[in-house]
Amino acid sequence: MGLKRSNRRRFLKNSALLAGGLTLGAVKPVGSQTSGSQASSGQTPEPQAYIKGTEELIAYGQRSRFETAIRHSHGGRHSPDAFGLVMHVATPLQESVGVITPSSLHYVATTRGSYIPDIDPKEHRLMVHGMVDRPLTFTMDDLKRLPSVTRLHFVECAANRPSPTAKTIQDSHGMTSCAEWTGVLLSTLLKEAGVQSGASWIVAEGAEEVKGASSIPLAKAMDDCVACYGMNGEAVRPQQGYPLRLLVPGFEGIFNVKWLRRIKVVDQYYMTYNDYGHLRQGHEDAALGYMIGPKSVITYPSAGQQLAGKGFYELKGLAWSGGGTVRRVEVSTDGGRSWKDAEIRGTAHRMAHTRFSLNWNWDGTETLLLSRCTDELGQIQPTRAQVAEFFKVPLTPDYRPPGRDNTIQTWRVASDGSVHNAYA
Ligand SMILES: Nc1nc2c(c(=O)[nH]1)N[C@H]1C(S)=C(S)[C@@H](COP(=O)(O)O)O[C@H]1N2
Ligand SMILES: [Mo]
């Protein structure tokens, strides 16, 4: 008993040290319940109003009106554009908790000018044809009869990268999101159709006017691609490809064909509308492949946020890689001079956002915060300087790494506690 108590005392002492003069929760002694206002006594006041149980609220839940994080258009491009078409809409990662992006906040990219198709799932078909023994068409009901998988995966657009003009993490990194996806492995469908020898690629096609097609290596298609009808416990949202979207885990976003209606098995890479101006296969891009490199970003504190003053903060961030599981995340709170291992929160899943954190006592002086991800292949997230050195080009302020830029993001914490994008 005595031992227990002294352990507890030591724990309390240690947590006070950790807090380093924590200014949070400095509570005045609570007076009598009836005297004075409850708020000034440190207690939660009685609610002033109650949310009425309207039909709407009961039928499909909404978040609290005090939660205001929303998506916004990305990269200075108005979304939807003047015709109501092309959309690049970014997730508010600064408000993210855990690893799942709520479906209503999942980023959206429709790249080639189409409205969101309004598809009746009863009419929808997935055709699997080309170099197969048995061409097949599946209704949504057919697909739901087949063995399913449920997996956490991120999707990330090639446009997602540190940028000198980004005011917030939503601007720089909001074109990635992570959801729980449910569907049928593409390998199940391809085996059912019987892939013929000599086949080496598939072309996956969407249902909208411009077809949003992509060529995908057959090896990847047979490995871990999923034809998904479920997202975060319900049907895939229209903006994400309702009623069926392809997930190509860890590959650049454009491969994840939405409104999936056709898989053609072929014996070579086919150019598609998506190649126009996008998948430049110069040697520099090709060197980086289709795979998203190891990546991480500190979500709190991040640019646009304000620290209350010196003292304890849990730094929080997200890490992910197309190369599998996040194995390690390091954080620097001194501009990259020294690095500490962050803690991985929960379980790291393959090709999924992974939450990390680090306890930090801010001494109130200006500093730079960085994070660096290592994946299960041993790939390490580089700095811009390292990428420039690799390609033997000078590191100028406007140097943009080619391909899917996975360089380290730096945030600057000013002495007044304001946090800024320090593109370096
Ligand atoms: N059919 C179709 N699929 C598509 C697109 C598209 O315009 N049409 N956009 C692609 C791009 S560029 C990206 S980054 C991802 C975005 O997926 P999301 O909108 O679900 O976030 O979908 C890809 N799949
Ligand atoms: Mo994209």
Side-chain angles (χ1 to χ4, degrees), residues 106-111 157 208 240 245 253-254 256 258-259:
H106 197 286
Y107 89 92
V108 186
T110 66
T111 42
C157 185
E208 82 271 37
Q240 265 66 54
R245 83 93 50 93
I254 203 160
N256 298 264
K258 304 194 277 192
W259 314 296

Side-chain angles (χ1 to χ4, degrees), residues 71 87-89 91 106-114 116-117 155-159 175-177 181 204-208 210-214 231 236-241 245-247 252-260 274 278:
R71 300 186 283 208
M87 278 199 262
H88 292 91
V89 184
T91 295
H106 197 286
Y107 89 92
V108 186
T110 66
T111 42
R112 297 290 171 247
S114 172
I116 306 286
V155 184
E156 181 177 28
C157 185
M175 296 300 279
T176 183
S177 302
W181 299 97
E205 182 188 79
E208 82 271 37
V210 295
K211 306 301 178 219
S214 280
M231 177 186 185
V236 170
R237 295 279 171 103
Q239 292 171 332
Q240 265 66 54
R245 83 93 50 93
L246 190 61
L247 244 269
E252 179 187 324
I254 203 160
F255 292 94
N256 298 264
V257 175
K258 304 194 277 192
W259 314 296
L260 180 68
N274 276 343
H278 196 88

Side-chain angles (χ1 to χ4, degrees), residues 16-343:
L17 275 179
L18 180 80
L22 191 68
T23 48
L24 304 178
V27 179
K28 286 187 219 120
V30 177
S32 122
Q33 293 264 338
T34 47
S35 73
S37 107
Q38 288 166 320
S40 67
S41 75
Q43 292 186 84
T44 300
E46 288 291 327
Q48 293 304 295
Y50 289 85
I51 299 168
K52 288 198 190 73
T54 58
E55 192 105 336
E56 263 180 338
L57 211 76
I58 293 161
Y60 199 83
Q62 285 169 16
R63 63 181 173 178
S64 160
R65 67 190 171 94
F66 299 105
E67 294 299 317
T68 53
I70 52 170
R71 300 186 283 208
H72 68 46
S73 55
H74 183 254
R77 296 169 286 195
H78 190 72
S79 293
D81 69 9
F83 306 99
L85 298 173
V86 179
M87 278 199 262
H88 292 91
V89 184
T91 295
L93 288 179
Q94 65 277 13
E95 299 277 337
S96 68
V97 292
V99 295
I100 304 254
T101 310
S103 299
S104 40
L105 295 177
H106 197 286
Y107 89 92
V108 186
T110 66
T111 42
R112 297 290 171 247
S114 172
Y115 294 108
I116 306 286
D118 184 29
I119 298 174
D120 178 348
K122 287 194 198 67
E123 303 296 322
H124 193 74
R125 300 287 182 275
L126 173 65
M127 181 194 280
V128 179
H129 69 137
M131 295 176 70
V132 296
D133 294 333
R134 295 169 296 276
L136 296 170
T137 52
F138 298 91
T139 64
M140 292 306 296
D141 284 345
D142 292 339
L143 291 173
K144 287 178 184 173
R145 286 172 59 174
L146 296 174
S148 62
V149 293
T150 293
R151 294 176 180 173
L152 283 184
H153 285 307
F154 71 82
V155 184
E156 181 177 28
C157 185
N160 211 37
R161 56 190 59 216
S163 128
T165 55
K167 294 269 181 289
T168 66
I169 188 179
Q170 188 166 7
D171 300 333
S172 57
H173 291 78
M175 296 300 279
T176 183
S177 302
C178 182
E180 186 200 72
W181 299 97
T182 295
V184 182
L185 280 172
L186 203 47
S187 61
T188 304
L189 305 179
L190 290 169
K191 281 177 200 158
E192 204 54 34
V195 174
Q196 293 173 348
S197 67
S200 52
W201 289 82
I202 64 161
V203 181
E205 182 188 79
E208 82 271 37
E209 300 104 299
V210 295
K211 306 301 178 219
S214 280
S215 289
I216 296 162
L218 183 63
K220 180 67 176 173
M222 293 301 281
D223 181 16
D224 58 0
C225 295
V226 189
C228 301
Y229 47 77
M231 177 186 185
N232 292 338
E234 62 179 356
V236 170
R237 295 279 171 103
Q239 292 171 332
Q240 265 66 54
Y242 182 87
L244 192 67
R245 83 93 50 93
L246 190 61
L247 244 269
V248 185
F251 273 31
E252 179 187 324
I254 203 160
F255 292 94
N256 298 264
V257 175
K258 304 194 277 192
W259 314 296
L260 180 68
R261 69 157 206 174
R262 199 154 72 99
I263 302 277
K264 186 168 186 182
V265 180
V266 292
D267 60 357
Q268 63 176 64
Y269 180 91
Y270 274 72
M271 298 273 299
T272 65
Y273 199 34
N274 276 343
D275 291 279
Y276 169 70
H278 196 88
L279 302 173
R280 288 172 295 119
Q281 290 297 307
H283 65 279
E284 290 187 345
D285 288 17
L288 294 173
Y290 294 152
M291 194 194 271
I292 304 268
K295 216 160 169 177
S296 69
V297 64
I298 296 169
T299 56
Y300 171 83
S302 61
Q305 292 177 334
Q306 174 71 43
L307 299 185
K310 65 182 183 183
F312 177 79
Y313 294 90
E314 186 194 55
L315 301 186
K316 303 174 217 307
L318 291 169
W320 63 98
S321 176
T325 310
V326 170
R327 182 190 286 164
R328 181 184 193 192
V329 183
E330 298 155 282
V331 170
S332 174
T333 56
D334 59 8
R337 276 189 295 280
S338 66
W339 295 85
K340 288 197 184 87
D341 274 320
E343 214 174 301

